[in-house]
Amino acid sequence: MIRNTFTYIRIILIAGALYLLFITLFSRTAADVDLWGYLSFGRIFWKQETFPFQDIFSYVPTNPVWVYHEWLTGVIFYSILDYAGPAGLQVLRYIIIVITLYLIYLTAIKKSGNSISAWMALLPAVVLISYGYSTIVRAQIFTYLFFILTIFIIESARRDQKWLVLLWLVPIQLLWCNLHGGYLTGLGLIGLYALGDAVSGKKIIPLVIILLPATLITLINPYGIEYWKFIFHAVSMPRPEIDEWMSITAALKNSYMIVPVVSFILLSLVCFFSFMTRSKKYFTEILILMVICYLGYKHARHTIFLGILFGAFFPAILFDIRKTSFPKQRFVNMSWIAPILLVIFFLSSHWLIHRSSPINYLPSYALTVSYSYYPIGALNWMKNNKIRGYILPFFGWGEFLMWSCYPDCKVAMDGRYETVYPEAVHKEYFNFFMAREGWQIFLNKYPHDMVLIKPHTKIHDLMLQQSAWKHVYADSTSSLFMRKTFQETSTNIH
């Protein structure tokens, strides 16, 4: 009787700690800047009769075809928001997170056969993984899901020698490529597994065979071969102005994403030291880890993939260490250590992420549009004064303006810049935005009616000196300039 009572207490402690840990790490409400681009596409997809192959949101030169690699994400997100509101998007996000974490755990079990090792690896990994879900809600959540699902399918086929299961990779690629351009990581995984297993002397023919149809099926998209051309260009193009595309060293230098960056460095060192020092050869795993670590080093946004790999691959190392380094009888009973460690881990994670905020006991289903980031005040002023026209915006606000102001207003640039705008145009824009040499070119070349930027920036100070522009609105978040000739033709401005 007493033993059963203690068992129930342990179960409650473990379940409660996991629940609170999930809320601490994943219950976020801030709207991602790209969300508005998805929703804007979804809205025109459902409301116009033909597929939107051309951009309608901008007034500067755009590409002949708008190759939007996240088009299906936009269709799904808009439908959910339209029928279920922000709570619907949050529920979708929570479901995908749970499935992703569960697949990581299942993959770890499949590789190690030990649940304790799986939990020990997943807990530190989940801190890094959580930063991939820090806003509501990006198309990357589908890439994280399909990334681990691809690994799970390949590991299942390799372990059980049931190669027909690899056929699932084909429809996965079809769905993946229409949801997000990250589908290339799925094809890369198949290739890396084949290469690593070839060096290790393992069977690779099924992996080589499945790679061809998994690749060709990605041609089934609204844009055909143009999609591939865009993806290869997008993968190779530099993005020095976008923070999440900076390297690890640049992120550390600029104090950007410090927690995930430091977690990435620590987990990568643990992985390589552990894998390289074991007598058992893990060549395929090491090869995949090397590629993912390289991508994470090059671009901070890719560090999340290492968290997924750590949770999936490292339990095999932990179990190997346990079997070879410690006699079985020297292991203490984990029945009480596990819940205690979980509680400690939860409290540490809450302190690390939320600091002095109170503990939340329920997940949030809201969608927050922060007045401290988005130009809500300026948009309300424009609405009250019935202002319509062409807006040159701060880069992070472009898609929000598309969603909030179209068709009354169009934008000069937004977060879809690599999918919509010719390279020459977005180079001119970033020269303006960053107040570089020649910044006036973009300002004078196109028919901007308004400039909406952040105060206390270099470009803001330069705009204050422009005689052709009048400063008509300002608050702590945004500053609005209006071309004087445009202001003269606008009425009811006060």
Side-chain angles (χ1 to χ4, degrees):
M1 183 68 177
I2 295 177
R3 173 182 258 179
N4 289 337
T5 301
F6 283 131
T7 300
Y8 291 139
I9 292 174
R10 287 196 299 268
I11 292 173
I12 291 171
L13 280 174
I14 291 173
L18 288 175
Y19 170 77
L20 292 175
L21 180 62
F22 181 86
I23 292 176
T24 294
L25 295 176
F26 296 105
S27 183
R28 311 290 179 87
T29 64
D32 189 84
V33 294
D34 288 337
L35 173 63
W36 314 112
Y38 308 145
L39 297 176
S40 297
F41 180 93
R43 180 168 57 188
I44 62 172
F45 175 88
W46 288 114
K47 293 189 176 182
Q48 70 179 36
E49 296 180 355
T50 59
F51 191 91
F53 284 109
Q54 282 78 40
D55 172 71
I56 62 173
F57 299 109
S58 183
Y59 58 90
V60 301
T62 57
N63 295 324
V65 178
W66 174 16
V67 181
Y68 194 40
H69 64 98
E70 299 160 328
W71 74 272
L72 186 55
T73 294
V75 171
I76 293 172
F77 283 3
Y78 178 78
S79 301
I80 293 174
L81 183 69
D82 192 37
Y83 286 101
L89 290 176
Q90 281 280 33
V91 169
L92 172 68
R93 176 173 167 273
Y94 289 142
I95 290 173
I96 290 178
I97 292 171
V98 170
I99 295 174
T100 301
L101 295 178
Y102 186 58
L103 284 170
I104 295 172
Y105 176 77
L106 289 181
T107 305
I109 292 293
K110 190 168 288 292
K111 290 186 69 66
S112 69
N114 184 264
S115 61
I116 294 177
S117 299
W119 279 113
M120 290 177 66
L122 184 58
L123 287 177
V126 79
V127 174
L128 176 55
I129 293 169
S130 69
Y131 282 87
Y133 306 88
S134 58
T135 54
I136 315 299
V137 58
R138 304 187 70 180
Q140 280 87 334
I141 65 173
F142 296 114
T143 282
Y144 301 144
L145 171 63
F146 291 135
F147 180 78
I148 186 57
L149 181 57
T150 298
I151 293 175
F152 177 75
I153 289 172
I154 295 175
E155 290 290 346
S156 298
R158 293 166 79 227
R159 179 180 175 85
D160 304 328
Q161 295 293 297
K162 294 181 179 179
W163 298 104
L164 286 178
V165 74
L166 293 177
L167 291 174
W168 282 105
L169 297 177
V170 178
I172 286 172
Q173 281 295 131
L174 173 61
L175 185 59
W176 193 350
C177 78
N178 286 284
L179 288 165
H180 188 239
Y183 75 93
L184 284 180
T185 60
L187 299 177
L189 280 172
I190 300 173
L192 289 173
Y193 266 103
L195 178 60
D197 285 359
V199 174
S200 302
K202 298 178 181 178
K203 189 174 183 178
I204 66 166
I205 297 300
L207 288 167
V208 174
I209 291 174
I210 204 63
L211 184 58
L212 180 61
T215 301
L216 292 178
I217 203 167
T218 61
L219 285 170
I220 303 178
N221 66 78
Y223 316 100
I225 194 67
E226 291 298 320
Y227 189 3
W228 280 11
K229 294 179 182 178
F230 160 75
I231 286 295
F232 289 131
H233 171 69
V235 167
S236 60
M237 71 179 295
R239 296 175 174 87
E241 298 87 0
I242 312 300
D243 289 343
E244 66 179 6
W245 286 93
M246 69 175 62
S247 69
I248 290 299
T249 52
L252 289 174
K253 183 179 179 180
N254 291 279
S255 300
Y256 176 71
M257 291 177 61
I258 290 298
V259 174
V261 165
V262 172
S263 298
F264 170 81
I265 294 172
L266 292 176
L267 293 185
S268 61
L269 291 175
V270 170
C271 275
F272 280 108
F273 177 79
S274 302
F275 275 100
M276 297 298 291
T277 56
R278 304 312 299 164
S279 57
K280 183 179 178 180
K281 302 304 178 184
Y282 292 94
F283 185 82
T284 302
E285 289 83 353
I286 292 173
L287 177 63
I288 295 172
L289 283 166
M290 287 177 62
V291 172
I292 292 300
C293 284
Y294 170 77
L295 293 175
Y297 172 78
K298 290 286 291 182
H299 306 295
R301 62 177 275 154
H302 294 145
T303 56
I304 311 303
F305 291 107
L306 180 65
I308 296 173
L309 285 183
F310 187 90
F313 286 176
F314 195 66
I317 287 291
L318 287 177
F319 191 60
D320 186 28
I321 293 173
R322 174 179 174 177
K323 288 193 304 180
T324 58
S325 303
F326 298 96
K328 185 175 180 180
Q329 62 270 21
R330 291 175 62 181
F331 268 84
V332 297
N333 191 322
M334 294 289 291
S335 59
W336 279 108
I337 294 178
I340 292 172
L341 289 178
L342 272 173
V343 171
I344 294 173
F345 191 80
F346 154 67
L347 293 174
S348 301
S349 300
H350 185 274
W351 177 85
L352 183 66
I353 296 172
H354 298 290
R355 301 284 175 169
S356 58
S357 301
I359 296 175
N360 293 320
Y361 297 99
L362 293 173
S364 174
Y365 296 97
L367 178 66
T368 302
V369 181
S370 172
Y371 277 70
S372 64
Y373 180 80
Y374 290 103
I376 308 299
L379 295 189
N380 288 337
W381 184 89
M382 290 170 55
K383 182 179 179 180
N384 292 336
N385 288 280
K386 299 179 181 179
I387 303 297
R388 301 180 179 184
Y390 294 160
I391 305 177
L392 194 175
F394 167 69
F395 180 71
W397 296 339
E399 290 173 289
F400 181 67
L401 294 176
M402 284 163 43
W403 172 251
S404 305
C405 301
Y406 181 83
D408 291 339
C409 298
K410 292 189 175 184
V411 298
M413 184 61 61
D414 60 86
R416 308 165 303 145
Y417 73 106
E418 81 275 21
T419 71
V420 170
Y421 303 93
E423 188 171 349
V425 174
H426 60 70
K427 282 185 176 179
E428 290 173 347
Y429 169 79
F430 282 116
N431 285 340
F432 167 83
F433 177 58
M434 306 297 290
R436 297 169 180 157
E437 182 179 356
W439 65 271
Q440 304 98 326
I441 293 176
F442 193 79
L443 181 65
N444 298 325
K445 188 174 182 180
Y446 303 107
H448 317 293
D449 297 318
M450 292 163 280
V451 175
L452 182 60
I453 52 180
K454 288 188 173 184
H456 313 300
T457 59
K458 188 175 180 180
I459 191 60
H460 180 265
D461 294 339
L462 291 172
M463 285 299 302
L464 289 172
Q465 302 171 21
Q466 302 303 300
S467 59
W469 294 84
K470 184 176 180 180
H471 192 202
V472 296
Y473 176 85
D475 59 29
S476 60
T477 301
S478 59
S479 190
L480 179 65
F481 295 84
M482 190 174 292
R483 192 186 295 272
K484 289 183 178 179
T485 54
F486 173 74
Q487 184 194 20
E488 291 169 358
T489 62
S490 301
T491 59
N492 300 322
I493 297 180
H494 59 274

